[in-house]
Amino acid sequence: MKETPLSNCERRFLLRAIEEKKRLDGRQTYDYRNIRISFGTDYGCCVVELGKTRVLGQVSCELVSPKLNRATEGILFFNLELSQMAAPAFEPGRQSDLLVKLNRLLERCLRNSKCIDTESLCVVAGEKVWQIRVDLHLLNHDGNIIDAASIAAIVALCHFRRPDVSVQGDEITLYTPEERDPVPLSIHHMPICVSFAFFQQGTYLLVDPNEREERVMDGLLVIAMNKHREICTIQSSGGIMLLKDQVLRCSKIAGVKVAEITELILKALENDQKVRKEGGKFGFAESIANQRITAFKMEKAPIDTSDVEEKAEEIIAEAEPPSEVVSTPVLWTPGTAQIGEGVENSWGDLEDSEKEDDEGGGDEAIILDSIKMDTGVEVSDIGSQEQKSYKELGTRLAEKTEGDAPIILSDSEEEEMIILEPDKNPKKIRTQTTSAKQEKAPSKKPVKRRKKKRAAN
Amino acid sequence: MAMEMRLPAARKPLSERLGRDTKKHLVVPGDTITTDTGFMRGHGTYMGEEKLIASVAGSVERVNKLICVKALKTRYIGEVGDIVVGRITEVQQKRWKVETNSRLDSVLLLSSMNLPGGELRRRSAEDELAMRGFLQEGDLISAEVQAVFSDGAVSLHTRSLKYGKLGQGVLVQVSPSLVKRQKTHFHDLPCGASVILGNNGFIWIYPTPEHKEEEAGGFTANLEPVSLADREVISRLRNCVISLVTQRMMLYDTSILYCYEASLPHQIKDILKPEIMEEIVMETRQRLLEQEG
């Protein structure tokens, strides 16, 4: 299938956002997405997730005769495949450009940098050497394939164990994993690619572009480095003119990022090693979280709340008297309600509410506790009891609150929040929609509850 | 600030809500349509084991002796005379490639394009070089299907002043099977906006231009600011179109207009809520039935 073209509006929006140093997922300019490394049951099998981009890496080995001009060196073979499930645009015949570019980059990064000691792969000079084959499959494309692929490749290579071989005179003995523990490969260093996307002719740069950002970028700079700050490969594509200091700056950033990623990789390898030694369960099945919603899940975005206190003080100081606040919820249909009127936010208005503080403070605390208790009851024991207790609470609160002023706890800015009573037995909703409707009518007394302190604005 | 909370609820199947008696004969790939061998087989069917079997998921249509299956969810299949709204994806030597939600990109030849000023002459090399000045990648155009190539690719033309580059407005992408075939697809709705119902499922809603420009030939995009009232009408129309689509109603000027009128008592952003959507579309359906019957 061909790719749907990006509309002009979207393109302009992305570029404008980047000019204002904003990224769609809330990251900073130099932030990487969350990297997750999980290992399979076999040695040499791993899945690396860079945000939503997923790459599966598998290393395998075979005894072959060496190349004629390199009789004492083992053979390395790298292959990256763009699976059709990665993106609708990837079709068996149609990926050549991108595929060739990625494969070449990966080869230069791993082969030319001599990160793997090929001499140690030699068994009998001129006759038998190990051929190590690294297969990478892109499972999902959400931008920055090359970084994810390079991490997957190096992790798989570090994780891999080849069968032990011993040579006695003319005899070669190949031990099975049962006879002798397999031996890890000899890896000198871990080169990792870091991608920089450039926008507006090199004015703005982003690290780890995601799929949307890649579509609107002008050019891409890929630097492959190891943690000793040695550059293994550097490639600039897209034809943008980069200044010398830009490239130097990028290499410094890459140094920092590579150090972090290498640490992460070593930790992951160590964890896996530990689990295997202790005889615990390992493999992909263990790394997948059960009983959890994993589709359409948004990662938590880190927000800086260090200056919230000051901002809150400012707002409180400048606040005007609160406007009329309607507290009752509007129930549209069973299962949906609206709180608030949709008029402007009156959160900054706290002068009246501060007065109520002292009066309402003590009582609210008690009611809060009883509410908490009841929620415990509600979850475990679904019955008419909860209806009664809610009614009680409702009336109690109604007594305390006179008129429509909001109830607050201490100095937090709050508005009333009404909790909808869920249907008696949520599981039965499907079959008993009509009965649920009737049940709803009597138990309309909503529970007034406190909202926790929110970060100001 | 208003906050909405919604509890999960079971979705009612569409047929229950509609309460329709006439059930369409719906088939999925592999279903037997008929064992009667007297019928000719049309699109979407194949003969296997003495039976006529469906190869796509859709409704069975029968015209005398011809049985075909019209797929419900499909890419746009071009037919001569259709109006389409498309986006330019490539500028090639003597033509533009236009994305129209079909299997292959459609083609707009330079010779099928009106020159500004309405001149009629042979396109020269300078015209070729100036192509990008007319239409660039990412531009939206309205055009008519001139011909369909053997591989299914569609050739477009904009040889009338009503076709050309589209300026400010809102694009809604729906399934092509929901756009009803009518005599005209350019409508000036009385509510204050105009709409182009592309047969390929691209619906373009834009503010009604005050006076029809005769000379431009449809290339200069009008970038004057659109008033708030117009914008509200356009957003409301867009939400109405989306609610009609979710309820699987055919889109044509009357249905969109009735839906707009039914939605007036609600706020624009409320139209997208499932309950209100159902309500509005139910009302629209009533009115349409009354009008027909």
Side-chain angles (χ1 to χ4, degrees):
Chain A
M1 228 165 71
K2 50 186 171 59
E3 231 172 44
T4 28
L6 210 58
S7 56
N8 287 350
C9 309
E10 249 189 299
R11 192 180 295 267
R12 243 177 292 145
F13 174 76
L14 281 162
L15 289 171
R16 277 269 290 277
I18 292 170
E19 277 170 37
E20 296 176 16
K21 305 271 198 256
K22 293 199 177 105
R23 291 177 90 160
L24 282 185
D25 44 11
R27 287 187 279 157
Q28 298 297 317
T29 326
Y30 301 142
D31 279 352
Y32 253 84
R33 288 171 281 181
N34 286 336
I35 304 180
R36 249 194 98 217
I37 305 177
S38 46
F39 296 95
T41 39
D42 293 334
Y43 279 115
C45 184
C46 74
V47 168
V48 171
E49 287 174 51
L50 177 63
K52 292 215 188 101
T53 306
R54 298 177 78 190
V55 179
L56 167 78
Q58 172 75 61
V59 179
S60 50
C61 64
E62 205 189 328
L63 273 176
V64 294
S65 34
K67 294 210 179 99
L68 292 167
N69 50 348
R70 300 244 189 267
T72 52
E73 284 184 14
I75 304 174
L76 286 172
F77 183 67
F78 300 98
N79 182 30
L80 169 69
E81 273 175 32
L82 303 172
S83 160
Q84 275 83 63
M85 65 169 124
F90 292 156
E91 262 177 44
R94 258 210 255 174
Q95 327 156 1
S96 34
D97 270 355
L98 181 63
L99 195 61
V100 166
K101 176 170 162 239
L102 292 169
N103 269 302
R104 267 311 284 147
L105 194 50
L106 214 61
E107 274 200 23
R108 276 168 42 209
C109 168
L110 295 165
R111 196 201 295 276
N112 296 7
S113 65
K114 307 233 185 288
C115 60
I116 301 177
D117 184 11
T118 43
E119 299 271 353
S120 67
L121 297 173
C122 176
V123 177
V124 176
E127 283 177 33
K128 285 283 178 205
V129 295
W130 283 112
Q131 178 192 46
I132 304 290
R133 189 197 161 96
V134 183
D135 283 298
L136 300 161
H137 292 266
L138 180 70
L139 300 176
N140 192 35
H141 176 31
D142 195 30
N144 206 4
I145 304 174
I146 187 63
D147 283 15
S150 75
I151 297 175
I154 201 64
V155 166
L157 284 166
C158 289
H159 192 244
F160 180 62
R161 305 273 179 273
R162 64 165 171 84
D164 199 5
V165 175
S166 72
V167 182
Q168 269 149 352
D170 276 338
E171 239 183 60
I172 316 170
T173 335
L174 179 63
Y175 297 105
T176 58
E178 289 85 36
E179 292 170 14
R180 269 210 211 171
D181 276 341
V183 164
L185 297 174
S186 154
I187 297 181
H188 296 307
H189 60 95
M190 298 207 280
I192 293 173
C193 294
V194 177
S195 304
F196 299 87
F198 286 94
F199 303 87
Q200 313 282 39
Q201 310 309 318
T203 332
Y204 304 99
L205 93 76
L206 290 179
V207 174
D208 186 18
N210 69 12
E211 207 248 332
R212 291 283 132 163
E213 291 161 356
E214 269 188 2
R215 286 228 220 170
V216 298
M217 71 182 175
D218 282 340
L220 185 72
L221 176 70
V222 179
I223 301 182
M225 228 194 222
N226 60 26
K227 74 167 186 221
H228 309 291
R229 303 180 64 86
E230 295 166 339
I231 292 184
C232 309
T233 297
I234 186 163
Q235 171 171 304
S236 161
S237 51
I240 30 153
M241 319 283 247
L242 289 175
L243 300 169
K244 184 176 68 171
D245 59 312
Q246 276 179 316
V247 179
L248 282 174
R249 197 157 29 105
C250 289
S251 61
K252 287 202 186 77
I253 298 168
V256 171
K257 292 295 161 195
V258 165
E260 288 168 15
I261 297 176
T262 312
E263 213 182 283
L264 185 77
I265 293 176
L266 291 173
K267 220 183 341 168
L269 285 166
E270 210 183 284
N271 280 348
D272 182 71
Q273 188 69 359
K274 210 169 31 157
V275 171
R276 276 175 207 258
K277 223 192 283 200
E278 289 166 4
K281 287 201 223 161
F282 49 86
F284 290 132
E286 293 310 309
S287 59
I288 298 172
N290 279 355
Q291 309 287 342
R292 251 187 259 174
I293 300 170
T294 49
F296 300 124
K297 182 178 65 156
M298 268 224 323
E299 301 285 336
K300 288 186 262 206
I303 302 175
D304 183 18
T305 52
S306 47
D307 57 350
V308 162
E309 296 265 353
E310 291 139 29
K311 278 210 183 134
E313 301 294 318
E314 279 171 34
I315 293 169
I316 294 172
E318 298 161 17
E320 291 151 11
S323 49
E324 184 76 19
V325 176
V326 178
S327 59
T328 51
V330 184
L331 257 113
W332 292 113
T333 56
T336 67
Q338 184 184 328
I339 312 149
E341 279 287 286
V343 294
E344 52 178 280
N345 193 344
S346 56
W347 253 33
D349 319 308
L350 278 188
E351 295 188 354
D352 284 6
S353 20
E354 270 167 8
K355 279 185 248 155
E356 298 224 356
D357 230 11
D358 309 328
E359 306 161 324
D363 303 299
E364 306 315 323
I366 304 170
I367 294 174
L368 190 62
D369 284 330
S370 50
I371 290 172
K372 283 206 188 113
M373 254 173 23
D374 285 320
T375 42
V377 171
E378 172 195 322
V379 168
S380 54
D381 169 24
I382 302 162
S384 58
Q385 263 194 359
E386 63 167 0
Q387 216 182 353
K388 245 197 304 177
S389 49
Y390 277 147
K391 276 212 180 115
E392 273 181 341
L393 287 168
T395 45
R396 248 195 289 168
L397 278 167
E399 284 162 11
K400 295 284 177 237
T401 58
E402 287 141 83
D404 305 326
I407 313 169
I408 354 88
L409 247 190
S410 58
D411 60 333
S412 47
E413 300 174 6
E414 277 165 335
E415 237 183 8
E416 278 192 341
M417 183 167 117
I418 319 291
I419 302 287
L420 290 176
E421 216 182 288
D423 280 309
K424 285 301 164 122
N425 196 343
K427 294 202 188 83
K428 288 196 194 150
I429 280 182
R430 282 173 209 282
T431 50
Q432 294 178 7
T433 32
T434 42
S435 52
K437 264 192 220 168
Q438 289 153 11
E439 282 180 330
K440 260 289 181 213
S443 63
K444 280 273 195 287
K445 202 74 173 174
V447 178
K448 301 209 165 113
R449 252 194 233 179
R450 241 144 288 316
K451 199 185 265 185
K452 296 227 181 346
K453 177 174 185 172
R454 288 211 303 240
N457 284 41
Chain B
M1 203 171 75
M3 230 170 42
E4 263 245 329
M5 295 198 301
R6 197 170 286 273
L7 293 174
R11 190 148 53 123
K12 289 178 276 188
L14 202 55
S15 51
E16 253 178 45
R17 280 184 251 164
L18 299 177
R20 271 212 294 230
D21 330 280
T22 53
K23 294 257 177 175
K24 282 192 185 170
H25 184 192
L26 296 173
V27 288
V28 290
D31 265 2
T32 317
I33 303 174
T34 175
T35 41
D36 190 348
T37 50
F39 289 106
M40 289 194 294
R41 50 172 209 84
H43 287 301
T45 64
Y46 64 96
M47 189 68 82
E49 307 161 17
E50 302 281 330
K51 301 186 286 192
L52 204 60
I53 305 179
S55 62
V56 288
S59 55
V60 178
E61 318 234 313
R62 191 181 76 90
V63 179
N64 295 338
K65 283 263 177 201
L66 178 70
I67 288 198
C68 60
V69 182
K70 195 161 108 96
L72 285 174
K73 182 177 174 197
T74 165
R75 291 215 161 218
Y76 169 60
I77 301 175
E79 285 179 36
V80 180
D82 279 355
I83 313 282
V84 294
V85 170
R87 196 182 288 276
I88 308 284
T89 48
E90 281 177 45
V91 181
Q92 294 185 345
Q93 254 202 321
K94 275 209 188 71
R95 59 198 191 164
W96 288 274
K97 283 285 184 158
V98 182
E99 195 246 339
T100 52
N101 197 20
S102 42
R103 295 200 188 99
L104 294 168
D105 274 340
S106 310
V107 157
L108 175 64
L109 297 172
L110 178 60
S111 45
S112 318
M113 161 81 74
N114 263 353
L115 288 171
E119 311 165 39
L120 295 170
R121 58 175 168 77
R122 231 206 170 125
R123 309 287 186 269
S124 61
E126 281 136 16
D127 286 320
E128 238 184 275
L129 296 171
M131 271 174 83
R132 210 171 236 118
F134 296 151
L135 293 173
Q136 281 207 324
E137 286 94 340
D139 285 343
L140 277 173
I141 57 161
S142 66
E144 192 181 318
V145 175
Q146 188 178 44
V148 181
F149 295 120
S150 49
D151 55 2
V154 153
S155 173
L156 305 171
H157 77 86
T158 55
R159 271 217 179 267
S160 166
L161 289 172
K162 57 182 178 169
Y163 306 127
K165 185 151 86 164
L166 300 173
Q168 298 189 75
V170 170
L171 181 74
V172 187
Q173 296 181 342
V174 310
S175 169
S177 48
L178 289 171
V179 179
K180 191 166 175 168
R181 276 245 155 81
Q182 285 192 294
K183 256 214 273 204
T184 164
H185 289 256
F186 290 77
H187 302 284
D188 280 340
L189 298 174
C191 45
S194 304
V195 67
I196 303 180
L197 296 161
N199 285 91
N200 60 337
F202 284 9
I203 315 258
W204 177 250
I205 309 173
Y206 61 109
T208 315
E210 267 114 40
H211 46 273
K212 302 285 176 189
E213 282 121 34
E214 298 298 337
E215 332 78 37
F219 280 122
T220 49
N222 184 6
L223 290 175
E224 281 166 18
V226 178
S227 67
L228 184 63
D230 280 345
R231 278 178 209 247
E232 290 192 351
V233 171
I234 292 177
S235 341
R236 193 177 278 275
L237 275 172
R238 182 243 180 212
N239 281 357
C240 287
V241 169
I242 293 204
S243 40
L244 286 170
V245 164
T246 33
Q247 304 292 316
R248 290 284 177 239
M249 279 211 62
M250 292 297 275
L251 292 169
Y252 51 108
D253 56 346
T254 325
S255 71
I256 297 181
L257 193 58
Y258 285 174
C259 191
Y260 178 84
E261 287 168 10
S263 74
L264 282 172
H266 304 272
Q267 278 199 323
I268 299 178
K269 61 185 168 151
D270 289 342
I271 302 175
L272 292 177
K273 296 186 196 162
E275 319 81 48
I276 301 189
M277 225 189 260
E278 276 177 36
E279 193 189 307
I280 295 177
V281 176
M282 193 81 74
E283 205 181 306
T284 316
R285 207 171 263 130
Q286 292 288 86
R287 276 185 76 180
L288 285 170
L289 282 174
E290 283 168 34
Q291 191 214 31
E292 286 163 27

